Amino acid sequence: MENFEPVIVAFVCNWCTYTAADLAGTSRLSYPKNVRLIRVMCTGMVDPQYVIKALLEGADGVLVSGCHPGDCHYINGNYKARRRIKLLKEILPQFGFEPERLRLTWIGASDGIQFAEIMRELVTELKELGPSQAKLKMVV
Amino acid sequence: MAITATINVKDQDLLGSLQTFCTAILTQEDIRAILVPQRQPMKSMVMPTLVTAPEQLDGIDPLSPAFPMNGAKVLAKLTRKPSGGKIAALLRPCEIRAFIELVKLKQARTEDVVLIGIDCLGALRNTDYFRFAGNDAAAATQRFYEGMLAGKETALDGVELASACKSCEHSIPDAADIALGLRGVDIGTGILAQAQSPAGEALLAQLNLPAAEVPKAREDALARLLEARTASRDQMFAETAAATDSVEKLSNYMANCVNCYNCRVACPVCYCKECVFVTDVFNHDPAQYLRWAQRKGAIKMPTDTVFYHLTRLTHMSTACVGCGQCSNACPNDIPVMELFRLVGQRTQEAFAYEAGKSVDESPPMSVFKEDEFQEVVGL
């Protein structure tokens, strides 16, 4: 796939990663347009089914990104998110979803540069991995 | 725990001895009622029955291969609030384990209940049970337990144990307050009764049963059974893993699913009062279906089948006790249990958790540590 452009759905928390994305924008940093940001109040509210839905609908990658440990606006939502990502990473590979398609990162509100870098890296990685199986097959 | 006793058996009549045992429990001053599997009048099915009058215990049938529902749900209804008295409950080990999960999920309480478990000889699917039992449930039970205790799992008149039971490594009620033992025990003379908690010890002491020791043969019998069951389980895991190792194969595995959600209704640990899949979230706009169809050329209706099963795997596989009621409830014979046990095994292992083992271990999704699972973070 020469011109494969991965679709990435990113669930980003309002207080850190979304703010970082905002900062990247106001700093006029550019990052790939493959990423679709979905702002949530906290990564702790990302039900595993959101991730599954995105993957079944054909997303090539899903990113969940929130505040660094200890910085959660709601004290511990990011720790809960980490357990859910661990849970998903135990389940999804059985059904042929490569573990690399699901990522969890901590990007703080002041990390605009890092946000843009991580998005670029993610796109490069997923380009190498190729399109998701769910995109190619009709999932019912 | 300290007390090991024997329940005398006369004339090979195990059900009669269990009835005497239950009557003795029910006549204790502090026990208001007993929940016990009982044959229904005029029908062959055996249902959990809440009994307060000792004379109404003559149809009890805890050894029947009938397993119409996981009794943990029923017991949760009875124990979610104080009822003003204590009850005893005679359950299968998988029912006790599901009950423990419900307690941890705040759907039930252990304070007013004494859990009595019995060596589980297995169960049949509902449809198989009706064929096996015919019109005489009592005779069917006797045929069943005699065959199972003689190790003739194959000699069940052409029916087979439910697949959940064939691959069950938890047929001994480890989490019960009082455990009744049949395997490796000379049941011609007595059933083994062991107290496994202070509550069980207190009740068993009140019953004044003759003291006994655990027969040496029991350990051997249990080890042999565990070995056979584990082998069968591992084979099931390997087959199920191979049958579902891509989204396409998973779709085929679930192809007969009509989204009836019976598996979720029958599941003892799926405890949400309103499942997200029956809310308006999944009552999509008509135009949405058309958009999906247009994008892919065709979509199977009803939609969200694989999505539903995957979501349920994330929501409750860490609490799955492998009772097999999901498969039992499936109208289209989808091997639901096989998939849930496979995934449950992995998710429970990932969090060093075993569903139904102890009320003291917190469900994995309800707790966290600050410095754990660093490997899932970062690119």
Side-chain angles (χ1 to χ4, degrees), chain B residues 1 8 10-11 31 34 48 76 86 94 118 138 141 150 181 202 233-234 268-269 303 343 361:
Chain B
M1 291 287 158
N8 287 327
K10 280 190 209 121
D11 310 326
I31 303 287
I34 185 164
K86 216 170 189 170
C94 58
I118 189 159
T141 299
R233 179 203 70 183
D234 290 344
V269 297
T303 56
V343 171
E361 289 175 6

Side-chain angles (χ1 to χ4, degrees), chain A residues 47 49 53 56-57 76 79 82-83 86-87 90-91 94-97 104 106 121 133 137-140, chain B residues 241 244-248 292 295 298 300 306-307 314-315 346 350 364 367-370 372 375 378:
Chain A
D47 190 303
Q49 71 167 329
K53 177 70 175 170
L56 289 181
E57 285 291 312
N76 53 30
Y79 293 125
R82 187 169 60 193
R83 282 220 158 198
K86 170 74 180 167
L87 177 74
E90 290 297 323
I91 296 175
Q94 165 58 37
F95 308 112
F97 289 104
L104 173 69
W106 311 134
E121 249 178 82
Q133 51 160 355
K137 304 287 177 197
M138 189 182 80
V139 180
V140 288
Chain B
T244 58
D245 63 7
S246 70
V247 163
E248 193 180 16
W292 280 329
R295 199 168 79 205
K300 190 221 90 181
V306 169
F307 186 25
T314 61
H315 283 179
R346 294 182 189 169
V367 288
F368 60 84
K369 289 189 195 120
E370 287 186 12
E372 61 177 4
E375 76 278 5

Side-chain angles (χ1 to χ4, degrees), chain B residues 110-187:
Chain B
T110 51
E111 283 80 353
D112 306 315
V113 63
V114 183
L115 298 169
I116 301 164
I118 189 159
D119 280 7
C120 182
L121 304 177
L124 306 176
R125 291 185 58 119
N126 279 353
T127 42
D128 288 339
Y129 174 71
F130 289 123
R131 267 200 296 147
F132 178 74
N135 294 322
D136 194 345
T141 299
Q142 193 177 351
R143 216 159 66 231
F144 176 73
Y145 73 68
E146 283 176 358
M148 295 308 288
L149 286 170
K152 289 185 227 153
E153 301 209 359
T154 44
L156 292 173
D157 300 344
V159 297
E160 280 186 50
L161 278 189
S163 46
C165 304
K166 282 195 273 189
S167 54
C168 171
E169 332 89 309
H170 298 281
S171 61
I172 305 305
D174 291 326
D177 294 309
I178 296 175
L180 304 182
L182 303 171
R183 292 191 188 271
V185 174
D186 178 15
I187 49 158

